[in-house]
Amino acid sequence: MSPEAKGQTIGKDAKDMQELNLTVSSSPHVRCNESIPKIMWNVVAALVPAAAFGVYYFGANALLNMVVAVVSAVIFEFLWEKALHKKVTITDGSAVITGLLLAMCCPPSLPWWMSIVGSFLAIVVCKQSMGGLGYNLFNPAHVGRAGLMVSWPIAMTTWTNMDGSAAVNAVAGPTPLNAFKHGGQDALFNAFNATDWGTVYQQMFFGMRSGSAGETCTVLLILGGLYLIWRGYVKWQVPVVMIATVGVLTAIIYSPNVAVFEMMAGGLIIGAFFMATDMVTAPITLKGQIIFALGAGLITVLIRVLGGYPEGVCYSILLMNTLTPLIDRLVKPTVFGEVKAKGAK
Amino acid sequence: MNLWKVFTRGIIEENPYFVLALSLCPGLAVTTSVVNGLTMGCTVWFVITANNTVVSIIHKLINKKVRIPVYITCIATIVTCVQLFLQAYAPDLYKALGVYLDLVVVFAIILARAESVASKNGVVVSFLDGMGMGIGFTIAMFLISFIREILGNGTFFGMSVFGQSYQPALIMALPPGAFMLIGFIMAGFKIWNKHVEKQRQLKGVEG
């Protein structure tokens, strides 16, 4: 058989295999135990404790928003894939994560129908219209949140106290970051009924504060993040660099005491562990991810200190998402066997 | 050339806004209400038709090297007429459209039709092409402003649609909402045109 004919036969075989839904790839054929659904459902598991705390602390409307956001995200994904005759991928858990993260980043008092609009923006506008999972440029949950923020600024910045479901000293009205931004340290202590930083830290750490439905409980979010790091889905450097950047910069601008508070405030913890580490919208290499985390932390501080909004994690991660392709290009590793860099051994 | 085809191609098949994707800026800027959108659409409709007619009459007299400045002068003259007309009879609209009326002079779609159709064809074809393209553009402006006004303001021609309890989505009143909307309508036009093309091919095979 001539080489050409042989090549054609192989090409034909490859085509047949693709039709059988078999993957044709070059060696080495290393089997891996991981799959998209497994990773996604693990992330959901890591988020559930913090979400459950949000429901316990803020009451039924937080739960309603989470359920509506998750269900509508899955339905939008299903409808879009059906309409375009694509493979339906609602069981891989990615839409569930998007819906859950969206609800966790929004105020617990949000009217439920706004969660549906947010899911539409996240799934249809951000994710599926760009080609589905793996092709979206921006973090879907944050796109949904940003869209809601632009559309209904009042509903998105109305922070309610918890209802009577939990007997804890909750902070009513503005979020801690809001209080600090407009009234400084005194307003912050007032908001917590505290006289020293220790009380503030304690309440922030255990989530006894007003804020978005799932972002308040620092300890549970960190535990969820540690679980993902232990599973190997998240590189520890990313959340550490992002949170440390915020800490260092605020320590320089204000004081170390404020820095500890800023690191636990707003959506920084959930953003650093669950959004900045998104496999689709963050850079591929570790070096790139660290640059991403550094930039996200820097923009967060800039918005918190100089910007009009009290919190900037959402926009900082969205802005860094736009830079992801450039960062990837910047830190592209040299291919094995390529020309050696200067000074290499 | 089939005159009916010349007239209708601008409406859907070669819609200047959603298929040729020319002159996108007014769709972001002035389509926050149906009145503004329709005024802009009709202005462009009139300018494009009048300009096509004028250019088709004079194109043989123009030296090829200076044709673009001459076209621009023609368009500017017609736009000035429309501006003066609006200023006299609809001063509120004139104020609402503001600088975008001046910008009609440099709309790509008007120059493109003058260059690609009016300078090569007779008066009748150019006039019909201008009418078709103008209608297509007006439909596009109406479609965008219709959806934007309903979602972004809860009104239609200034009348409340959903009642007082409706909380309008501000994003639709702002440029990002218009961007997303235009993208989705474009996708719709693409799907429709593909469908029509497929039907046509099937017919061709059977015939």
Side-chain angles (χ1 to χ4, degrees):
Chain A
M1 194 186 272
S2 71
E4 266 180 37
K6 203 178 170 189
Q8 277 170 359
T9 319
I10 291 170
K12 194 173 163 286
D13 282 349
K15 208 181 159 197
D16 285 347
M17 287 173 93
Q18 271 167 346
E19 276 165 8
L20 286 169
N21 270 333
L22 299 175
T23 313
V24 182
S25 66
S26 62
S27 59
H29 301 286
V30 181
R31 279 184 181 273
C32 174
N33 204 14
E34 302 296 349
S35 64
I36 293 172
K38 197 179 166 196
I39 297 173
M40 293 298 172
W41 288 113
N42 266 307
V43 176
V44 173
L47 278 169
V48 161
F53 178 85
V55 173
Y56 157 75
Y57 190 68
F58 292 111
N61 203 52
L63 180 67
L64 177 69
N65 268 323
M66 284 177 198
V67 172
V68 166
V70 168
V71 170
S72 58
V74 171
I75 290 176
F76 282 133
E77 180 135 312
F78 176 79
L79 290 178
W80 181 274
E81 283 169 342
K82 270 282 165 210
L84 265 69
H85 309 294
K86 289 165 102 180
K87 199 177 157 212
V88 173
T89 58
I90 52 170
T91 50
D92 72 6
S94 62
V96 175
I97 295 184
T98 300
L100 189 58
L101 276 175
L102 173 70
M104 289 172 80
C105 290
C106 290
S109 59
L110 198 72
W112 58 270
W113 57 270
M114 286 185 192
S115 290
I116 298 181
V117 180
S119 286
F120 177 84
L121 287 168
I123 295 291
V124 176
V125 175
C126 171
K127 188 172 149 198
Q128 290 295 351
S129 69
M130 304 226 181
L133 182 66
Y135 296 94
N136 47 311
L137 291 173
F138 300 100
N139 187 308
H142 269 167
V143 166
R145 186 190 187 277
L148 291 179
M149 189 79 191
V150 175
S151 295
W152 294 284
I154 297 169
M156 283 298 286
T157 49
T158 305
W159 309 102
T160 50
N161 195 359
M162 52 148 213
D163 59 11
S165 61
V168 278
N169 292 327
V171 182
T175 61
L177 270 177
N178 227 332
F180 181 75
K181 179 156 192 149
H182 299 297
Q185 192 178 324
D186 296 336
L188 181 65
F189 280 12
N190 254 338
F192 279 101
N193 280 328
T195 48
D196 60 337
W197 282 106
T199 323
V200 174
Y201 296 160
Q202 195 193 340
Q203 295 204 23
M204 297 286 294
F205 191 66
F206 292 108
M208 309 293 176
R209 63 169 171 98
S210 72
S212 298
E215 68 172 26
T216 57
C217 190
T218 308
V219 58
L220 289 178
L221 286 168
I222 290 179
L223 283 179
L226 287 178
Y227 172 71
L228 292 183
I229 291 169
W230 174 67
R231 299 292 308 217
Y233 301 148
V234 165
K235 296 195 181 81
W236 63 268
Q237 289 95 333
V238 178
V240 167
V241 167
M242 183 170 171
I243 296 168
T245 310
V246 173
V248 169
L249 287 175
T250 46
I252 295 168
I253 296 168
Y254 300 114
S255 70
N257 278 336
V258 179
V260 177
F261 154 74
E262 292 267 355
M263 284 194 285
M264 292 191 281
L268 182 60
I269 301 289
I270 190 172
F273 277 101
F274 295 94
M275 315 288 228
T277 57
D278 180 13
M279 292 177 177
V280 178
T281 56
I284 297 163
T285 61
L286 179 61
K287 217 200 251 172
Q289 289 174 359
I290 290 173
I291 297 173
F292 182 96
L294 206 71
L298 176 70
I299 299 172
T300 302
V301 174
L302 284 177
I303 296 177
R304 278 187 186 178
V305 176
L306 301 171
Y309 292 116
E311 170 61 319
V313 170
C314 171
Y315 293 108
S316 75
I317 288 177
L318 287 177
L319 278 170
M320 289 311 288
N321 283 160
T322 64
L323 293 181
T324 295
L326 290 175
I327 297 173
D328 269 336
R329 195 183 290 180
L330 185 74
V331 297
K332 197 166 133 192
T334 46
V335 177
F336 181 70
E338 224 178 1
V339 183
K340 277 179 188 167
K342 259 187 196 172
K345 280 174 194 171
Chain B
M1 201 186 284
N2 185 344
L3 289 178
W4 176 246
K5 185 90 188 45
V6 169
F7 175 62
T8 53
R9 69 182 169 193
I11 296 172
I12 290 178
E13 197 183 337
E14 284 181 36
N15 186 294
Y17 201 87
F18 293 123
V19 179
L20 303 181
L22 292 167
S23 307
L24 295 177
C25 77
L28 301 179
V30 299
T31 53
T32 46
S33 73
V34 175
V35 178
N36 288 358
L38 272 182
T39 314
M40 182 48 101
C42 292
T43 306
V44 172
W45 186 1
F46 177 76
V47 174
I48 201 170
T49 311
N51 185 56
N52 263 8
T53 314
V54 171
V55 168
S56 68
I57 293 168
I58 62 168
H59 75 266
K60 281 185 185 140
L61 306 171
I62 304 170
N63 187 330
K64 277 282 171 202
K65 283 174 186 160
V66 294
R67 66 187 192 284
I68 301 290
V70 174
Y71 296 161
I72 294 279
T73 317
C74 285
I75 302 168
T77 312
I78 299 162
V79 170
T80 310
C81 295
V82 176
Q83 267 186 316
L84 290 174
F85 176 82
L86 279 178
Q87 208 171 357
Y89 292 99
D92 291 339
L93 273 174
Y94 177 78
K95 262 184 216 152
L97 292 177
V99 73
Y100 291 95
L101 271 180
D102 298 300
L103 279 178
V104 173
V105 175
V106 287
F107 274 7
I109 180 64
I110 297 169
L111 205 58
R113 289 337 276 185
E115 177 77 8
S116 65
V117 175
S119 65
K120 291 170 189 152
N121 290 293
V123 177
V124 180
V125 169
S126 305
F127 175 79
L128 286 177
D129 179 80
M131 287 297 272
M133 287 289 158
I135 291 172
F137 193 86
T138 311
I139 288 173
M141 289 290 113
F142 175 74
L143 213 58
I144 300 168
S145 57
F146 173 69
I147 299 173
R148 280 184 77 186
E149 190 179 342
I150 283 197
L151 292 179
N153 206 20
T155 56
F156 176 64
F157 273 112
M159 293 174 296
S160 180
V161 176
F162 300 114
Q164 289 298 313
S165 60
Y166 178 71
Q167 289 167 279
L170 283 183
I171 193 166
M172 294 309 294
L174 298 168
F179 253 122
M180 290 185 229
L181 181 67
I182 292 166
F184 278 101
I185 300 178
M186 263 183 189
F189 267 76
K190 198 146 200 171
I191 291 168
W192 173 252
N193 278 338
K194 256 189 181 171
H195 173 76
V196 169
E197 187 64 27
K198 218 176 180 181
Q199 295 293 319
R200 199 172 289 160
Q201 275 177 359
L202 282 177
K203 254 186 203 164
V205 169
E206 280 166 13

